[in-house]
Amino acid sequence: MQLLVYIKLDAPFTLPINYNHILQSVIYKALSYSADISEFVHNIGFSYGERQYKMFQFSQLKGRYNINQKKITFSEYISFEIRSPENRLIQLLYTSFLEHGILFGEKHYKNVGLELRDYTVEECELQIKMKTPITVYSTDAESKSVYFYAPDEEFFYKKINDNFCRKYLAYCGITPVTAIKIQSIQVSTQDKFVTKYKQSYITGWYGIYKLAGERKYLDFLYQVGLGGKNSQGFGMFELL
């Protein structure tokens, strides 16, 4: 399920250019009005071994803007999208935004435009464009250093499929019968994206890709996102 959020600004609205953690906190704040699901999503999630998945994703902010000194200022409106395979989570966010508005730090927006959608993928082969970058990485067990893979590395695509299998098993309780296949169609160095999330740097990739697999698997990925760090604002795609 998908939730589209629209806020008409009464004055210019400025955020740090690396604002993913702020938008994530907006979602957690909205969920905090429902104690049970807030505790589950924020602290537990859906588990696979030691890994935990929050099972939601969000887009970047859209709107007319300018950037100056590592800050982004929106002038007229901001909009963003949240998706999740967990319909109850989306419904709770809708109700929370409707009743309580949206809190960006100390800025409180009460008049919020909301649209619920229930789009499902019905094809087994898609051409997709990333709305937020895909991030694929490995962490060294001893040094804790993180290596981010690029689309010109074979492991990039293997890691995406491995991540899908873990998330699907964590959420659905069964292992996917077949793998998904993803390949790059139009990806260049200009699609590389580096951002700072709290104290860590994350590398991801925009671009256009071909995605194939069973329809229910592709629909699951449309709702939850490709690759890692979906609940931090990575891996959302749109269909071309």
Side-chain angles (χ1 to χ4, degrees):
M1 183 172 273
Q2 307 89 45
L3 176 60
L4 280 64
V5 182
Y6 178 91
I7 302 172
K8 183 173 175 57
L9 301 175
D10 52 8
F13 178 56
T14 300
L15 288 169
I17 196 168
N18 300 315
Y19 60 74
N20 280 34
H21 68 287
I22 297 175
L23 193 48
Q24 185 190 50
S25 70
V26 165
I27 296 170
Y28 284 142
K29 177 63 178 177
L31 291 173
S32 70
Y33 295 106
S34 176
D36 290 343
I37 198 164
S38 173
E39 170 71 16
F40 179 76
V41 171
H42 196 285
N43 297 322
I44 303 172
F46 295 86
S47 298
Y48 174 83
E50 295 182 354
R51 293 182 170 91
Q52 295 176 345
Y53 302 99
K54 310 301 185 183
M55 296 299 170
F56 72 85
Q57 59 174 330
F58 57 88
S59 70
Q60 294 185 325
L61 295 173
K62 293 178 63 178
R64 197 183 298 271
Y65 67 87
N66 63 73
I67 295 175
N68 185 37
Q69 295 183 346
K70 296 185 178 181
K71 293 184 180 294
I72 183 168
T73 300
F74 294 90
S75 57
E76 299 174 6
Y77 73 93
I78 53 175
S79 66
F80 61 96
E81 180 181 0
I82 308 168
R83 297 181 195 165
S84 175
E86 184 63 31
N87 290 353
R88 186 167 65 116
L89 186 148
I90 296 295
Q91 293 281 0
L92 283 169
L93 286 172
Y94 176 86
T95 301
S96 179
F97 290 153
L98 194 65
E99 294 180 354
H100 304 286
I102 289 181
L103 195 64
F104 276 96
E106 297 181 355
K107 185 66 175 177
H108 191 192
Y109 294 101
K110 296 182 179 180
N111 188 15
V112 179
L114 301 170
E115 181 182 350
L116 277 175
R117 292 181 180 176
D118 195 15
Y119 175 80
T120 57
V121 172
E122 300 298 333
E123 296 82 24
C124 295
E125 187 174 297
L126 308 171
Q127 185 167 304
I128 63 171
K129 182 178 182 180
M130 300 311 301
K131 293 186 69 172
T132 59
I134 309 176
T135 183
V136 184
Y137 61 95
S138 291
T139 304
D140 184 86
E142 294 184 2
S143 67
K144 304 300 180 183
S145 62
V146 180
Y147 177 81
F148 291 94
Y149 295 92
D152 60 357
E153 298 175 275
E154 184 178 349
F155 237 59
F156 181 85
Y157 305 97
K158 182 182 184 304
K159 283 280 189 179
I160 289 175
N161 183 71
D162 291 347
N163 174 272
F164 152 68
C165 290
R166 292 192 300 268
K167 284 189 296 200
Y168 192 83
L169 178 58
Y171 185 71
C172 299
I174 57 174
T175 303
V177 178
T178 58
I180 59 162
K181 296 180 180 179
I182 181 169
Q183 64 184 78
S184 60
I185 294 178
Q186 186 178 325
V187 185
S188 69
T189 54
Q190 293 181 338
D191 292 308
K192 186 178 181 179
F193 177 85
V194 180
T195 189
K196 190 176 184 180
Y197 180 87
K198 296 183 179 178
Q199 302 304 315
S200 302
Y201 285 95
I202 300 173
T203 300
W205 292 83
Y206 286 100
I208 297 173
Y209 301 82
K210 179 181 176 181
L211 183 62
E214 288 195 28
R215 184 211 66 82
K216 63 181 178 181
Y217 298 159
L218 302 191
D219 181 64
F220 175 77
L221 289 169
Y222 181 81
Q223 313 303 337
V224 79
L226 284 166
K229 301 187 182 296
N230 306 130
S231 65
Q232 296 177 17
F234 292 84
M236 181 180 286
F237 62 84
E238 60 183 345
L239 279 57
L240 295 179

